[in-house]
Amino acid sequence: MKKISMKDIAQELNTSITTVSFVINGKSAEMGISPATEKKVRDLIKKRGFNPNSAARMLRTGKSKTIGLIVEDIGNYFFGNIAKIIEVEANKNGYSVFFSSTENNDDTARQLINKMRNSSVDGYIITATQGIREEILKLKKENVPFVLIDRLIPDVETNYVILDNYSGSYNLTRHLIDNGYQKIGFISIFSEMSMMTEREKGFQQAMTDAKLTVPAKSILKVNFSDSEEKIIKTITRYVKANPQLDALFFATNYLGVMGIDALQKCKLTIPTDIAVVSFDDNDLFRLLSPSITVAAQPIKEIAIQSIELLLKVIKKEQKQSMTVGEIIKPEIIIRESSPKIKK
Amino acid sequence: MKKISMKDIAQELNTSITTVSFVINGKSAEMGISPATEKKVRDLIKKRGFNPNSAARMLRTGKSKTIGLIVEDIGNYFFGNIAKIIEVEANKNGYSVFFSSTENNDDTARQLINKMRNSSVDGYIITATQGIREEILKLKKENVPFVLIDRLIPDVETNYVILDNYSGSYNLTRHLIDNGYQKIGFISIFSEMSMMTEREKGFQQAMTDAKLTVPAKSILKVNFSDSEEKIIKTITRYVKANPQLDALFFATNYLGVMGIDALQKCKLTIPTDIAVVSFDDNDLFRLLSPSITVAAQPIKEIAIQSIELLLKVIKKEQKQSMTVGEIIKPEIIIRESSPKIKK
DNA sequence: TAAACTATTGGAATCGGTTACACAAAATGC
DNA sequence: GCATTTTGTGTAACCGATTCCAATAGTTTA
């Protein structure tokens, strides 16, 4: 059974392809198609189950009704759920979503952007990696619609939706301090990305404001690309080398997860031996016993803001050059891992 | 700056579009393009950064080099990671991936299949919902390549990659029995899907083989579509109503997660008050204290088998009519939640 | 030397829509 | 009653790659 085309429809109705096209694209009124003709066409289309060939349409119009979603890791709780919401919203607006994970690798990210470029996506939602400055600038120069989420490229003006990492981190640290913790260890990854540097700044500022000092040795940075075991070992060593600490601040949720593992290996109990807070929520932190205090990212809000912003840019309501940013405030969720300290 | 096309390349080299096309598609030898010409073309292509327009190619060939991935919930640990691996493997083979979540809703699933059909994906990987029998039959009849994963449609022969739910469940139950548990509660969802019925059968058979009876009241079924709170309440009630139970078998990982929550609410300690095992692994089960014994799905294996099978079908090495199924054995991971019982 | 090949390359139809433009018929104006 | 505008529909160029079918030049064979 051959696929049916507009031509077939037109022939069967003894009308022209133009007429059919106008009807399909809802331009009947604008182009002055008589209601009778329009009905005839619509009925046959339904009867035959005709669907316009997207390749042909795409070739002619240059629009694919497709957006590219580039995240760090679709298998991750945060990005997986972001993806889900973006996909639903995109669908509502007639768009499909291509997705890909960068694994935080610059080359992968570069390839993905180019690859999607070739399959002519109409716009991107991207979680940038550190080294793709050039690619982002190129997209901007060529006026391709895109929105950065979760992290920015330093000194590059773009549309974005990010978390207020600084204030989240500040408030989370503040919560610890208010509960009596003073020797707080900060565990993060080596990274120049704004999201990470802002978190550190927030932590430092909260400590400074409370007139607390942060000795260099109580800050640990690990390599993102190291294996889980290696990171756990590193954290274990760090914890053992810093028995004075009364609380730990993990800068990301996966660090928090690995950190809890490390603390168990050190036979330390949360929160009696040491309190724990983490940036980013996930199922584990909520259900663990004790549950973990976190600065949570409002996933739904981030996802919806980013797809809405992108669609605006695509529809040109929002010129690419007029950059707009949404800064989402994290929510501090206080759980059992950081109770008031008893002096 | 206008996009450059094959025509531009051909013109600049004073050659024909045909020649350029042959070179691009690696048919130089076959079509007898001289090495000199080939090099000339390749060099200019690289220099100009030319990429063939996928819409045009798609229109002409009818192939989109795209596969559709339809899962239950991309935000879920299992499917998120499946998606990630499938995407990487697809990419290696020159394919892009469209994805969508059904949320286990028949209508959504139907729409997604049709939608992808229109954007002419070359093949599907689908986690079926219960009510899409007709759609699957239609795909089959029209000879569209697809592979079902995670669950089958009863009495419909298709290519598939699923878990051996029966044996996983049998072995997991067996593990409990071997460790001395006899009054085992089974908590599942209302579902006719083979994956769920097989799990129950495996459980029942293991019990029967051990000459243990399963009273009706020790089996609980909840509604998948109910809210998390409601399910947790239901489980709580069930646990309180069945104090005789010495172990709980959760048939899915999200039930396990909610169940642990419920047990905490009942002030019951795992495993001293009651042992716990669950189908499907996740981070939580591994890191929880005590950690939870599970029948784990080998995610990587499932993902790779399914994409490989689909690509085979697409390449016609594997006719759609010659259905092939891969049955993956789950791995029983014994952790702290199900120790040997002391009499 | 003409015929028959072979090795390369080019011309042009084609895929299925979109849309500028042309054109006919009907309506309106003067 | 003729010119002009409005209304409705058809024609055909075009998007950019693929591929069948020639075509040309150079070689070999009879």
Side-chain angles (χ1 to χ4, degrees):
Chain A
M1 191 192 72
K2 224 182 55 190
K3 267 231 177 132
I4 88 171
S5 71
M6 273 180 25
K7 201 162 146 192
D8 303 325
I9 299 280
Q11 250 159 25
E12 192 166 340
L13 286 176
N14 246 325
T15 176
S16 79
I17 298 183
T18 310
T19 308
V20 179
S21 174
F22 285 156
V23 171
I24 287 173
N25 293 304
K27 295 192 179 168
S28 322
E30 185 181 335
M31 290 303 170
I33 303 289
S34 67
T37 310
E38 168 160 12
K39 184 163 181 347
K40 240 181 16 182
V41 174
R42 278 201 196 290
D43 287 350
L44 188 62
I45 286 176
K46 197 156 290 164
K47 190 169 153 205
R48 293 267 172 280
F50 165 73
N51 276 108
N53 177 307
S54 67
R57 178 176 268 177
M58 193 169 149
L59 176 59
R60 188 62 237 250
T61 63
K63 302 276 154 223
S64 63
K65 283 288 189 178
T66 289
I67 72 166
L69 173 63
I70 297 179
V71 297
E72 181 179 318
D73 174 8
I74 193 91
N76 175 96
Y77 175 85
F78 174 70
F79 290 114
N81 282 92
I82 290 272
K84 180 163 69 167
I85 297 167
I86 286 181
E87 198 264 321
V88 170
E89 291 298 312
N91 256 306
K92 276 189 205 156
N93 289 275
Y95 283 80
S96 297
V97 180
F98 273 126
F99 77 97
S100 278
S101 303
T102 64
E103 306 290 339
N104 212 19
N105 184 102
D106 290 336
D107 283 337
T108 313
R110 265 190 280 271
Q111 279 168 235
L112 292 177
I113 291 180
N114 287 327
K115 199 160 160 300
M116 291 189 176
R117 198 72 197 283
N118 299 340
S119 33
S120 28
V121 300
D122 292 345
Y124 298 85
I125 294 179
I126 303 174
T127 43
T129 61
Q130 297 196 42
I132 60 164
R133 201 165 191 284
E134 295 310 316
E135 277 68 29
I136 296 292
L137 285 172
K138 200 168 138 205
L139 289 182
K140 206 181 153 186
K141 206 176 72 193
E142 296 179 10
N143 227 47
V144 180
F146 72 97
V147 171
L148 295 187
I149 63 170
D150 197 50
R151 48 195 89 167
L152 303 176
I153 303 279
D155 307 320
V156 180
E157 273 208 3
T158 60
N159 293 298
Y160 63 83
V161 177
I162 55 164
L163 198 69
D164 188 342
N165 286 287
Y166 176 86
S167 91
S169 196
Y170 185 96
N171 291 332
L172 194 55
T173 310
R174 191 56 203 262
H175 156 74
L176 283 176
I177 296 169
D178 288 347
N179 278 1
Y181 300 95
Q182 301 205 328
K183 311 238 161 97
I184 307 174
F186 184 83
I187 295 155
S188 180
I189 57 170
F190 288 108
S191 169
E192 302 299 318
M193 303 294 302
S194 67
M195 54 177 301
M196 300 313 298
T197 57
E198 289 295 308
R199 288 179 195 181
E200 187 167 352
K201 275 189 209 153
F203 168 76
Q204 293 279 9
Q205 192 59 50
M207 295 295 276
T208 307
D209 288 355
K211 309 229 183 322
L212 294 171
T213 55
V214 182
K217 66 167 181 170
S218 67
I219 294 207
L220 172 66
K221 299 244 176 106
V222 303
N223 272 314
F224 173 84
S225 51
D226 281 353
S227 73
E228 211 170 304
E229 286 123 57
K230 191 166 172 197
I231 294 179
I232 291 176
K233 263 185 204 145
T234 310
I235 299 177
T236 308
R237 257 202 313 280
Y238 158 86
V239 170
K240 286 191 172 146
N242 287 278
Q244 81 287 355
L245 296 176
D246 53 19
L248 290 181
F249 182 126
F250 292 99
T252 77
N253 59 3
Y254 53 85
L255 282 176
V257 170
M258 296 177 200
I260 290 164
D261 207 336
L263 287 176
Q264 275 176 19
K265 288 205 170 59
C266 295
K267 306 274 182 227
L268 289 175
T269 310
I270 305 167
T272 34
D273 294 328
I274 195 162
V276 165
V277 299
S278 177
F279 218 98
D280 281 10
D281 199 8
N282 68 13
D283 269 349
L284 181 61
F285 292 154
R286 183 167 55 85
L287 287 157
L288 219 47
S289 183
S291 53
I292 306 295
T293 297
V294 296
Q297 309 211 33
I299 290 185
K300 191 163 183 185
E301 193 181 347
I302 293 176
I304 288 184
Q305 294 279 4
S306 47
I307 180 74
E308 280 180 355
L309 181 52
L310 180 64
L311 290 177
K312 255 191 227 158
V313 177
I314 289 177
K315 288 182 192 135
K316 291 278 158 50
E317 290 171 28
Q318 191 68 58
K319 291 263 295 219
Q320 187 75 20
S321 54
M322 278 168 64
T323 62
V324 173
E326 302 285 343
I327 299 181
I328 315 279
K329 289 260 180 232
E331 180 193 0
I332 305 291
I333 303 178
I334 297 171
R335 300 214 181 94
E336 303 161 3
S337 67
S338 59
K340 249 200 169 51
I341 214 165
K342 41 209 174 287
K343 293 271 166 87
Chain B
M1 190 192 71
K2 223 182 50 189
K3 266 234 178 129
I4 86 171
S5 72
M6 273 182 25
K7 200 162 147 193
D8 303 326
I9 299 281
Q11 247 157 28
E12 191 166 341
L13 286 176
N14 244 322
T15 175
S16 79
I17 299 183
T18 310
T19 306
V20 178
S21 173
F22 285 157
V23 170
I24 286 173
N25 293 303
K27 296 192 179 169
S28 321
E30 187 181 333
M31 289 301 166
I33 303 290
S34 67
T37 310
E38 169 162 12
K39 186 165 179 345
K40 241 182 15 186
V41 174
R42 279 201 194 292
D43 287 351
L44 188 63
I45 286 176
K46 197 157 291 163
K47 188 170 155 205
R48 292 267 172 281
F50 164 72
N51 275 108
N53 176 305
S54 67
R57 180 176 268 179
M58 192 169 150
L59 176 59
R60 188 61 236 254
T61 62
K63 302 275 152 223
S64 63
K65 283 286 186 180
T66 290
I67 71 167
L69 173 64
I70 298 179
V71 296
E72 179 179 320
D73 174 9
I74 193 92
N76 175 95
Y77 175 84
F78 175 69
F79 290 115
N81 281 286
I82 291 273
K84 180 163 68 167
I85 297 167
I86 286 180
E87 197 264 320
V88 170
E89 292 299 311
N91 256 306
K92 275 190 205 155
N93 289 275
Y95 284 80
S96 296
V97 180
F98 273 127
F99 77 97
S100 278
S101 303
T102 64
E103 306 290 340
N104 211 19
N105 184 102
D106 290 336
D107 282 338
T108 314
R110 265 190 279 272
Q111 278 168 236
L112 292 177
I113 292 180
N114 286 327
K115 197 157 162 302
M116 290 191 177
R117 197 72 197 283
N118 298 341
S119 33
S120 27
V121 300
D122 292 345
Y124 298 85
I125 294 178
I126 304 175
T127 42
T129 61
Q130 298 196 40
I132 60 166
R133 200 165 191 285
E134 294 311 315
E135 278 66 29
I136 296 293
L137 284 173
K138 198 166 141 206
L139 288 182
K140 207 181 151 185
K141 204 175 74 191
E142 295 179 10
N143 227 46
V144 180
F146 71 96
V147 170
L148 295 187
I149 64 170
D150 197 50
R151 48 195 90 165
L152 302 177
I153 302 281
D155 307 320
V156 180
E157 273 210 1
T158 60
N159 293 298
Y160 63 83
V161 176
I162 55 164
L163 198 68
D164 188 342
N165 286 287
Y166 177 86
S167 91
S169 196
Y170 186 96
N171 290 332
L172 194 54
T173 310
R174 192 56 204 263
H175 156 75
L176 282 176
I177 296 170
D178 288 348
N179 278 1
Y181 300 96
Q182 301 205 330
K183 312 238 160 98
I184 307 173
F186 184 83
I187 294 156
S188 181
I189 57 170
F190 289 107
S191 168
E192 301 300 316
M193 304 293 303
S194 67
M195 55 178 299
M196 297 314 296
T197 58
E198 289 294 307
R199 287 180 196 182
E200 187 169 351
K201 276 188 209 155
F203 168 75
Q204 293 279 11
Q205 193 58 49
M207 295 295 276
T208 308
D209 287 354
K211 309 228 181 327
L212 294 171
T213 57
V214 183
K217 66 168 183 171
S218 66
I219 295 207
L220 172 66
K221 300 245 175 106
V222 303
N223 271 315
F224 174 84
S225 52
D226 281 352
S227 74
E228 211 169 304
E229 287 126 55
K230 190 165 172 200
I231 294 179
I232 290 176
K233 264 184 205 146
T234 310
I235 299 178
T236 309
R237 257 201 313 280
Y238 159 85
V239 169
K240 285 188 173 148
N242 287 278
Q244 82 286 357
L245 296 177
D246 53 19
L248 291 180
F249 182 126
F250 292 99
T252 77
N253 59 3
Y254 53 85
L255 282 175
V257 170
M258 297 175 199
I260 290 164
D261 209 335
L263 288 176
Q264 275 175 20
K265 289 206 169 58
C266 296
K267 306 274 182 227
L268 288 175
T269 311
I270 306 169
T272 35
D273 296 328
I274 194 159
V276 165
V277 298
S278 177
F279 219 100
D280 282 10
D281 199 10
N282 69 12
D283 269 351
L284 181 61
F285 292 155
R286 185 166 52 85
L287 287 155
L288 218 49
S289 186
S291 52
I292 307 294
T293 297
V294 296
Q297 309 212 34
I299 291 185
K300 191 162 182 187
E301 195 181 344
I302 294 176
I304 288 185
Q305 295 280 5
S306 48
I307 179 74
E308 279 181 355
L309 182 52
L310 179 63
L311 291 177
K312 256 190 227 156
V313 177
I314 289 176
K315 286 180 195 138
K316 293 277 158 52
E317 289 171 29
Q318 191 68 59
K319 290 263 292 220
Q320 187 76 20
S321 54
M322 278 168 64
T323 61
V324 173
E326 302 285 341
I327 299 182
I328 315 279
K329 289 260 178 230
E331 182 192 2
I332 307 291
I333 303 177
I334 297 170
R335 301 214 181 93
E336 303 161 2
S337 67
S338 59
K340 248 198 170 50
I341 214 166
K342 38 211 176 283
K343 294 267 164 95

